Amino acid sequence: MTLLDEIRTGDARTAGISTSHASAERAAPAILSPAPAVSIAGALNAALRDALAADSNVVVFGEDVGPLGGVFRITDALHAEFGEDRVWDSPLAESGIVGTAIGMAMYGLRPVIEMQFDAFSYPAFEQITSHLAKMRNRTKGRVTLPIVIRIPYAGGIGGVEHHSDSSEAYWTHTPGLTVVSPSNPADAYSMLREAIESDDPVIFLEPKSRYWAKDAVELPVHTAPMTRAVVLRAGTDVTLLAYGPTVKTALHAAELGAEEGLSVEVVDLRSLSPFDDETVGASVRKTSRAAVIHEAAQFGGYGAEVAARVTERQFFHLAAPVLRITGFDIPFPSPKLEEHYLPTAERVLAALDTWEW
């Protein structure tokens, strides 16, 4: 065993390091061993595994999440590790999945359920909006429903309709639901653990086109609280507001804008409901201009709420109207047309050029 190996294993005495230098010994592995590359899918899988291990009341079920490990393999190996009583396949009935989870939560369990694809959640719409979202208010706080509904959402994988919807406006319009969407592996892990620990229902939107994006992350990790937005890139000319899959688009637009002398600030909203007015407001007051990016159609979409909210609260700090760069007002197109539908960095910069600077 080399000295480096001994330091990595933490054996100070065999490495010839005196106990007075124990702090240096403890610091060495972090310096010598870089954090592993972790994908969003891997981080979500780790979060589920750690939550199942930490709390025997946590259960995971949905279509094909058992032995198969989920259509995107987010639940890979969990059925084998925790058994049929903790991780199992459900019938192909989304309304039944949510209704079953509501009953389980009333009896003290903490269900984490998967909708497999975004538009598959629509058959469960009534259960979610009429019962899941309203139970705490209906019972004057006596019944809470700690349920996480994981929804792989949005486009970018050639999945056509029913497999590429961005349904965030439906859920954020429903009081009683917390709606969040991570954009990177660290947030995926931290926000899912926090969602599972929440005593109220959380709609957890997973950007499926980003499942395999990797970052160097040492798990477990705790990032900002899931209800807070985060400034990912500082700038002074304009604030780009993005979440989930469009965070990558916003960062790309910021890089291209910098080549043209534009200083772009990128804010990852992370939480769609509740909305972090404090972080967004501080950014807009600094830049005086804002644009929101999402994949869903524009009319009646989530961007309209963001634009109205920013305008109401920051009107006297704005130098121009808040812009929306979104998908078009059509059903999600076929795979051959998908690249023309989804907002790109070039479309973002073209929209910013419509302002009088």
Side-chain angles (χ1 to χ4, degrees):
M1 178 180 288
T2 66
L3 176 61
L4 185 60
D5 291 333
E6 292 174 10
I7 292 174
R8 280 173 169 159
T9 58
D11 191 337
R13 285 183 298 178
T14 58
I17 300 173
S18 69
T19 53
S20 63
H21 293 84
S23 60
E25 171 225 343
R26 286 193 296 271
I31 298 172
L32 298 173
S33 301
V38 178
S39 66
I40 288 179
L44 293 170
N45 179 266
L48 290 171
R49 176 175 289 102
D50 290 351
L52 285 161
D55 186 348
S56 60
N57 289 319
V58 175
V59 294
V60 174
F61 64 101
E63 296 162 6
D64 297 325
V65 305
L68 179 66
V71 68
F72 294 104
R73 303 298 186 268
I74 305 303
T75 57
D76 187 38
L78 299 182
H79 176 269
E81 185 171 347
F82 293 95
E84 182 70 20
D85 291 338
R86 303 284 306 282
V87 181
W88 68 90
D89 287 335
S90 70
L92 303 181
E94 288 77 10
S95 180
I97 294 172
V98 176
T100 302
I102 290 173
M104 288 180 170
M106 287 179 170
Y107 280 89
L109 296 176
R110 308 184 81 86
V112 182
I113 57 181
E114 179 180 297
M115 287 288 104
Q116 196 168 68
F117 282 96
D118 31 62
F120 292 9
S121 64
Y122 299 157
F125 188 84
E126 197 274 338
Q127 287 279 8
I128 296 172
T129 57
S130 294
H131 304 291
L132 179 62
K134 296 175 180 174
M135 193 62 69
R136 178 190 276 273
N137 186 66
R138 183 179 297 150
T139 61
K140 299 181 178 179
R142 288 192 291 272
V143 177
T144 59
L145 296 177
I147 298 172
V148 177
I149 302 180
R150 295 181 38 246
I151 303 179
Y153 86 116
I157 64 167
V160 300
E161 63 177 7
H162 297 105
H163 299 74
S164 300
D165 274 20
S166 296
S167 54
E168 59 268 32
Y170 302 136
W171 312 127
T172 55
H173 187 64
T174 305
L177 299 176
T178 295
V179 184
V180 301
S181 183
S183 68
N184 58 74
D187 275 349
Y189 179 91
S190 182
M191 292 169 68
L192 183 54
R193 289 297 306 273
E194 188 177 347
I196 295 171
E197 292 171 0
S198 171
D199 286 333
D200 288 308
V202 177
I203 304 295
F204 199 88
L205 299 172
E206 300 170 2
K208 65 173 87 76
S209 65
R210 301 286 295 151
Y211 266 146
W212 308 112
K214 291 184 176 181
D215 281 339
V217 180
E218 196 75 50
L219 299 178
V221 63
H222 296 283
T223 61
M226 69 175 181
T227 54
R228 298 306 300 264
V230 171
V231 177
L232 292 184
R233 178 187 174 113
T236 57
D237 293 334
V238 58
T239 297
L240 293 183
L241 303 169
Y243 52 91
T246 60
V247 170
K248 178 185 178 183
T249 307
L251 290 170
H252 186 200
E255 292 175 2
L256 296 180
E259 295 174 3
E260 301 174 3
L262 192 64
S263 178
V264 178
E265 181 146 304
V266 176
V267 176
D268 183 353
L269 295 179
R270 300 170 83 246
S271 175
L272 282 61
S273 179
F275 188 81
D276 184 358
D277 289 297
E278 181 180 354
T279 301
V280 172
S283 178
V284 173
R285 288 193 295 275
K286 181 172 71 170
T287 64
S288 300
R289 297 172 188 267
V292 57
I293 312 168
H294 62 62
E295 293 189 8
Q298 185 173 104
F299 188 87
Y302 183 71
E305 172 61 28
V306 174
R309 202 173 184 93
V310 170
T311 301
E312 287 174 349
R313 288 161 174 75
Q314 311 300 332
F315 181 77
F316 294 105
H317 299 277
L318 287 171
V322 179
L323 295 179
R324 293 170 288 167
I325 301 97
T326 70
F328 300 116
D329 293 335
I330 59 172
F332 202 88
S334 67
K336 290 183 178 180
L337 297 175
E338 188 178 43
E339 63 178 296
H340 302 291
Y341 172 86
L342 297 172
T344 62
E346 290 75 14
R347 277 178 56 192
V348 172
L349 293 178
L352 302 188
D353 283 341
T354 64
W355 280 328
E356 291 185 6
W357 289 85

